[in-house]
Each structure stands twice: as structure tokens, then as C-alpha cells.
Amino acid sequence: MMKVLITGTSQGIGKAIAERFLKENHEVIGIDRQVSAIRSENYTHNQCDVRDYENLPDIRDVNILINNAGTQNENDIDINLKALIHITEKYGIQDKIHSVLNIGSASAHTGAEFPEYCASKGGVLAYTKNVAMRIAKYGAVCNSLDPGGVLTPLNECVMNDPELWGQIMDETPLKRWATPEEIAEWAYFLTMVNSFCTGQSILVDGGEAINYHFVWKE
């Protein structure tokens, strides 16, 4: 059994990841500023803001840390990057750590979306490599999982707009977005199955980044 700490477990990707680990009977601890609907004897919820450094819970000997908490166009650098760094330094840099996973974004690779958002996620990619070097001495790995479009409550504003959704699908070769459960499977693989890939940024975006419009004379 692993002790798994996950931030942002109240909904979406974080909730799906927590449920994936609980399915395998691991001990899961969540941190979120909202309440959680997860009900399991193996789950402990800490309701607090990841930026509230003075009141973060005292959790020892974390084996797997998954930095999922994030926002779009709302203090992005403070939440998506600075808090992620603080959480990792507090819980992840120690000799019981097995794996650290940062949930990044396809926007870190493309520069798309809000300026502060893509900048914050770009910082996550660089910090991932830094952590990977520092925890390698414990035999641990650190990677970032960088989704494209995911069917989460944060994205409902475009998911429920037929015109915008049509434009988005035009840019997505697989013509769909990922479910939170699909991203959770990637998170489980990268932290539990994988033991040799480290310092990498795994892009899972339905092919959006490889989409191109080739222009040539007919």
C-alpha cells in the first residue's frame, strides 16, 4: 500500500485520480479548498487552500505526490506554479518518496490559452526536471502529465457552446476530449507502473499538437 497525496480532489481530474488509487486500496490523502464527495475508509480530506502555507496539514512519509490543483485565469502563477513548488518541497523531497507527478497542460508546449496560465504551466515543466534530478538519489521519478482538452466542470463554458465546440473539434484529430478517468489511468501508470521514465513531460491531447494545415500548390 502506498501513501498517496493528491491536491485538488474535489472534482474533475483530481477526483478521478483519487478514485483510481482507492480502487487499488492505497491510502489517499486529499487537499482542496472545497469539500470532497469521496467516501472511503482509505481517504482523508483536508479542506484548505494550497496557497495557505502556514495551515497545510502535517503529513509524513508520502510515497506518491500528485500535484493536480490548478486554475485558469485566476491567480494562475500563485496557484499553478508557486503553490505546486511549495507543496512539493514540503511533502515530496524526502527519502520515502517513490514518485512525484505534476499535472501540467498542453498549453505549456504551445503557449495557447491565457498568458499567465500558459506561463505557469511552462514553469511546471521546468520545475519537473529540477525535482527529477533531486529525487533520483531516492530511486524516485518525477514527470509531468500534460493534458489537452478534458471533460471537466472547469471547461463546461465551451463544452456547452455548440459553435465553440465545433471549432475545438476541428483542431482535435481524434474528435473528442479525454475523460477524467482516462487521465487518471495515465497518472496511475506514471506513478505506479513506471519506474524508469523521469524528468519528462507526457503530452496527452488527442493529437491537437500534431495538427497542421499543409499549404502547397495543387
Side-chain angles (χ1 to χ4, degrees):
M1 177 188 291
M2 293 283 187
K3 180 184 281 189
V4 186
L5 176 59
I6 307 170
T7 63
T9 51
S10 67
Q11 62 183 4
I13 293 172
K15 182 173 181 287
I17 294 174
E19 290 172 338
R20 181 65 181 86
F21 277 91
L22 289 169
K23 181 180 178 181
E24 304 297 332
N25 296 315
H26 296 288
E27 177 187 358
V28 179
I29 302 163
I31 296 177
D32 198 297
R33 61 185 176 182
Q34 301 180 54
V35 298
S36 174
I38 298 173
R39 298 291 179 265
S40 169
E41 62 181 13
N42 289 337
Y43 180 74
T44 302
H45 190 69
N46 296 275
Q47 189 176 356
C48 62
D49 194 309
V50 290
R51 296 168 294 178
D52 188 5
Y53 303 150
E54 299 300 320
N55 293 305
L56 290 171
D58 183 18
I59 305 168
R60 308 280 180 163
D61 299 333
V62 171
N63 302 128
I64 294 176
L65 171 62
I66 299 178
N67 287 303
N68 167 75
T71 189
Q72 291 175 306
N73 212 23
E74 181 206 341
N75 301 311
D76 295 27
I77 289 176
D78 286 340
I79 296 173
N80 299 347
L81 182 57
K82 289 183 178 180
L84 180 148
I85 291 172
H86 187 89
I87 291 284
T88 304
E89 298 298 323
K90 181 177 178 66
Y91 302 114
I93 312 299
Q94 40 84 17
D95 61 5
K96 296 297 191 296
I97 197 68
H98 172 78
S99 180
V100 175
L101 182 67
N102 299 320
I103 304 301
S105 171
S107 297
H109 300 259
T110 63
E113 293 194 57
F114 311 106
E116 190 172 332
Y117 178 78
C118 65
S120 70
K121 293 298 187 177
V124 168
L125 266 61
Y127 181 63
T128 294
K129 297 180 186 299
N130 177 277
V131 173
M133 288 295 296
R134 292 161 59 207
I135 65 174
K137 63 184 178 182
Y138 305 126
V141 299
C142 177
N143 295 288
S144 72
L145 173 58
D146 305 336
V150 183
L151 300 171
T152 69
L154 282 177
N155 293 321
E156 286 180 350
C157 60
V158 294
M159 289 161 50
N160 296 330
D161 185 315
E163 182 177 352
L164 288 177
W165 188 247
Q167 294 176 29
I168 290 169
M169 288 299 99
D170 286 342
E171 298 299 321
T172 310
L174 287 182
K175 303 303 179 190
R176 68 179 183 88
W177 272 5
T179 65
E181 290 73 23
E182 284 180 291
I183 302 303
E185 288 294 341
W186 276 97
Y188 192 85
F189 173 80
L190 288 170
T191 55
M192 286 295 296
V193 180
N194 165 57
S195 62
F196 199 61
C197 173
T198 192
Q200 302 304 306
S201 301
I202 311 301
L203 184 61
V204 182
D205 70 345
E208 187 175 344
I210 61 170
N211 193 11
Y212 63 89
H213 304 285
F214 184 62
V215 179
W216 198 249
K217 184 177 181 180
E218 294 184 0

